[in-house]
Amino acid sequence: ASLRAPGEIPPRAWLYGRRLIRGFVSVMVAPGGVGKSALALGQAVCLATGRAFLGEAVHQSCPAWVFNLEDPADETDRRLAALMLRHDIPAHAIAGRLFLHSGRTRGLVMAELDEAGFGRVAHPDRAAVTAEAQARGIGLIVVDPFVKCHRLDENSNAQIDAAIIAWAEIAEAARCAVLLVHHVRKGAGANGMADVEAARGARALTDAARNVAVLSPMGEAEAERLSVDPAQRWRHVRLDDAKANLAAHASGAAWFRLDGVRLGNGTPDYPHGDDVAVMVPWKPPALAASLSPAALNQALDAIAAGPGDGMAYAAKRGRAAGRWVGFVLVDQLAIGEPEAARLIAAWLRAGLLREETYHDTRQRKDRVGIRVIDAKRPSMTHTGEQQ
């Protein structure tokens, strides 16, 4: 073969960030109860709609096919409905673009031992899945969890490798990405970051995958370092690149928060209805060290000016929701409300903000508001750098 010029080589067919790519198998490893099914479904919806609402780039929108092999169809429908409510996704955005399959309705057997073939591995559903993926132009197949798609010894490298090869052949034939969701060993990663070595069963699974990501709960030390309320720690999870054969590792973890979304499907027997956890992007606190002094002082000027009519902003929402100072920070610093709340708490501890009683002349009563202590403001040199 002749040597091709670099500019003549087609680029890799990335679909989603540097995680999902046409023609290859990727793996997401996670302990139970951290939201791996919610995240995998969210990634599928990102590709189906072309919307990057989870914070990673959608390079090419495409139909997605999700095999949830553990839960009934109703449970996947709940997760999808909550996700669409939380991220404001209209029904027409996924029509004909997202396909859901429940293993409770019909199991999926990608690999099993062929007893008549003296221990060889058979692939009962490989041809049917390939044909359907090709017919529908599927760009992503999600298999959740991987262990439910085969009847092999999960500790046998030879057998698990045969199952992975079958999925890789589907990825190649249908020009789609395949995401296999996999458990960690019992007890691994329950109290902090897991790693690829914690994946359950044979190493053939993670060795054969082109990209392996590990989803882990926030540990106690991380929660303290990031000023996260211990009671809310369980809501925060991190996604780390454990293996990236086709691209350099991403810098730092991708953080997410599990938000509860009420479906509004109450009945006389269950008037509250369902609350379903949905993944949303989350960034560690944007404290003064990561923001420019000029931007911080501009925000502090707005806080000092107050909302008008002689009123002062309030440090807490409560009854003073309309005067909450966090809205100023969201607007001025382009950060989220959780980050704004943490920044306010940090400034109160540092003495930059102080709660004081003042007389509201419009309401003709005393109120508690916040005052900016100018002596504590971030200082700047002539170049604009913090001293």
Side-chain angles (χ1 to χ4, degrees), residues 46-71:
C46 282
L47 285 177
T49 62
R51 301 185 183 192
F53 56 82
L54 289 180
E56 295 201 53
V58 174
H59 301 292
Q60 183 181 21
S61 181
C62 59
W65 191 3
V66 178
F67 288 87
N68 188 311
L69 303 178
E70 211 161 38
D71 299 317

Side-chain angles (χ1 to χ4, degrees), residues 240-280:
D240 291 89
D241 287 319
K243 173 185 174 184
N245 282 356
L246 295 179
H249 285 269
S251 58
W255 282 97
F256 300 92
R257 188 184 66 245
L258 287 162
D259 276 2
V261 175
R262 185 174 294 184
L263 295 188
N265 60 344
T267 66
D269 291 331
Y270 304 100
H272 179 79
D274 290 317
D275 244 313
V276 181
V278 171
M279 284 286 186
V280 297

Side-chain angles (χ1 to χ4, degrees), residues 83-339:
L83 185 149
M84 294 175 69
L85 285 170
R86 178 62 179 80
H87 294 290
D88 195 25
I89 299 169
H92 67 78
I94 63 168
R97 306 280 295 171
L98 181 69
F99 304 93
L100 305 177
H101 177 98
S102 170
R104 297 281 189 94
T105 304
R106 198 273 197 192
L108 174 69
V109 184
M110 187 51 57
E112 65 180 359
L113 288 180
D114 182 358
E115 295 181 3
F118 303 100
R120 288 182 299 184
V121 175
H123 305 285
D125 288 330
R126 179 176 57 188
V129 171
T130 301
E132 192 70 11
Q134 291 173 329
R136 294 184 180 272
I138 298 296
L140 170 66
I141 294 175
V142 175
V143 183
D144 180 17
F146 168 70
V147 69
K148 295 288 187 179
C149 80
H150 66 81
R151 297 171 179 167
L152 303 173
D153 177 359
E154 71 173 357
N155 293 306
S156 167
N157 278 305
Q159 292 184 24
I160 293 303
D161 190 54
I164 297 302
I165 288 173
W167 281 115
E169 289 173 347
I170 290 173
E172 180 67 26
R175 293 300 298 157
C176 67
V178 173
L179 174 62
L180 305 178
V181 180
H182 190 53
H183 297 289
V184 299
R185 296 187 306 273
K186 187 175 181 180
N191 297 311
M193 183 179 172
D195 59 37
V196 70
E197 300 299 327
R200 198 168 98 177
R203 286 198 54 170
L205 172 63
T206 52
D207 285 349
R210 289 299 183 181
N211 180 279
V212 180
V214 179
L215 187 68
S216 306
M218 177 181 284
E220 292 181 9
E222 282 181 318
E224 183 176 356
R225 179 172 60 86
L226 299 176
S227 301
V228 172
D229 184 345
Q232 298 297 312
R233 177 169 66 91
W234 68 272
R235 293 183 179 275
H236 299 80
V237 296
R238 58 181 292 165
L239 188 67
D240 291 89
D241 287 319
K243 173 185 174 184
N245 282 356
L246 295 179
H249 285 269
S251 58
W255 282 97
F256 300 92
R257 188 184 66 245
L258 287 162
D259 276 2
V261 175
R262 185 174 294 184
L263 295 188
N265 60 344
T267 66
D269 291 331
Y270 304 100
H272 179 79
D274 290 317
D275 244 313
V276 181
V278 171
M279 284 286 186
V280 297
W282 180 81
K283 291 184 180 179
L287 299 178
S290 60
L291 295 167
S292 74
L296 294 173
N297 277 293
Q298 184 174 340
L300 289 166
D301 289 341
I303 294 170
D309 292 331
M311 292 187 293
Y313 286 109
K316 300 176 182 177
R317 291 194 180 192
R319 295 181 179 177
R323 294 187 296 119
W324 184 52
V325 70
F327 294 131
V328 177
L329 300 181
V330 169
D331 180 60
Q332 294 279 332
L333 302 176
I335 60 177
E337 292 182 19
E339 290 79 12

